[in-house]
Amino acid sequence: MPQLHAQPYDLDAIGFYFESLEEYANKARKNCNAYGDLVEEYEIQFIDGDDIDCALAKAWGVNQANIGGYFAACDEWEDYQKQIFIIAVGEIGYGFNPEDVHPEEFDVDLYHVDSMKELVVQMVDEGLFGDIPEHLTNYIDMDAIARDLAHDYTQTEIAGETLIYRAY
């Protein structure tokens, strides 16, 4: 589970670390500034956790109002779902409802390859260009096809992993 920090906007208050919505709520309910006034507003900062959860926090735009959904996503989603969300929201700019978001609803095709050329080879191997006799595969210009694919596909890096995606 990621560790976050609630940094008060009130300069006379001290922030706190938390690892769940319940822990945040308990600490926020008791956090007062130097004058005894309850602190109301915090900046939520990602402190520690997996790289994928850090990227998810950035794409999510973690704040006081949506940390519950963020923690649920960190706990329940698989890495590929987090990657789809990061691409859809963080890179493409799709909107989302933090209380009811499902990564499968985003129209993003995700490929776990290191380059466009590797994607072309995968597509040829899977028969996306039809049946190509093995003796002719050496004559296919994979680099030219990779350059063409770059018009519809985008290469990105998330949490140290290179991915290629296409969004509709």
Side-chain angles (χ1 to χ4, degrees):
M1 195 48 74
Q3 182 182 49
L4 304 179
H5 184 262
Q7 178 62 44
Y9 288 111
D10 185 338
L11 298 177
D12 292 318
I14 297 173
F16 55 87
Y17 297 94
F18 62 99
E19 294 183 3
S20 69
L21 180 59
E22 295 76 25
E23 186 179 3
Y24 167 80
N26 289 336
K27 290 182 177 182
R29 194 176 9 238
K30 301 172 188 171
N31 195 23
C32 295
N33 65 13
Y35 304 104
D37 298 325
L38 189 65
V39 178
E40 295 178 7
E41 295 180 334
Y42 297 93
E43 174 188 0
I44 306 300
Q45 303 166 339
F46 183 89
I47 300 299
D48 192 27
D50 295 335
D51 291 342
I52 190 79
D53 291 335
C54 179
L56 182 64
K58 182 177 178 184
W60 197 277
V62 176
N63 60 51
Q64 287 176 257
N66 67 17
I67 57 174
Y70 169 74
F71 278 125
C74 287
D75 188 41
E76 297 167 7
W77 290 358
E78 300 292 328
D79 284 352
Y80 80 92
Q81 293 173 303
K82 294 175 185 179
Q83 291 166 339
I84 289 172
F85 179 88
I86 292 164
I87 289 168
V89 175
E91 292 194 18
I92 299 171
Y94 288 170
F96 71 102
N97 175 356
E99 300 303 319
D100 185 35
V101 61
H102 305 282
E104 294 80 11
E105 294 175 357
F106 297 114
D107 291 327
V108 175
D109 292 335
L110 191 60
Y111 302 90
H112 296 268
V113 293
D114 292 328
S115 67
M116 289 290 178
K117 186 172 181 179
E118 191 175 328
L119 179 60
V120 171
V121 170
Q122 179 179 327
M123 288 177 164
V124 168
D125 290 345
E126 292 176 357
L128 263 60
F129 295 104
D131 290 331
I132 300 171
E134 191 169 326
H135 69 281
L136 295 178
T137 56
N138 292 335
Y139 296 100
I140 297 174
D141 189 348
M142 301 288 190
D143 292 322
I145 297 172
R147 284 191 301 274
D148 288 345
L149 285 182
H151 294 287
D152 294 324
Y153 294 78
T154 304
Q155 184 171 329
T156 191
E157 185 175 314
I158 298 174
E161 183 178 359
T162 301
L163 301 165
I164 294 179
Y165 68 90
R166 178 175 64 169
Y168 301 96

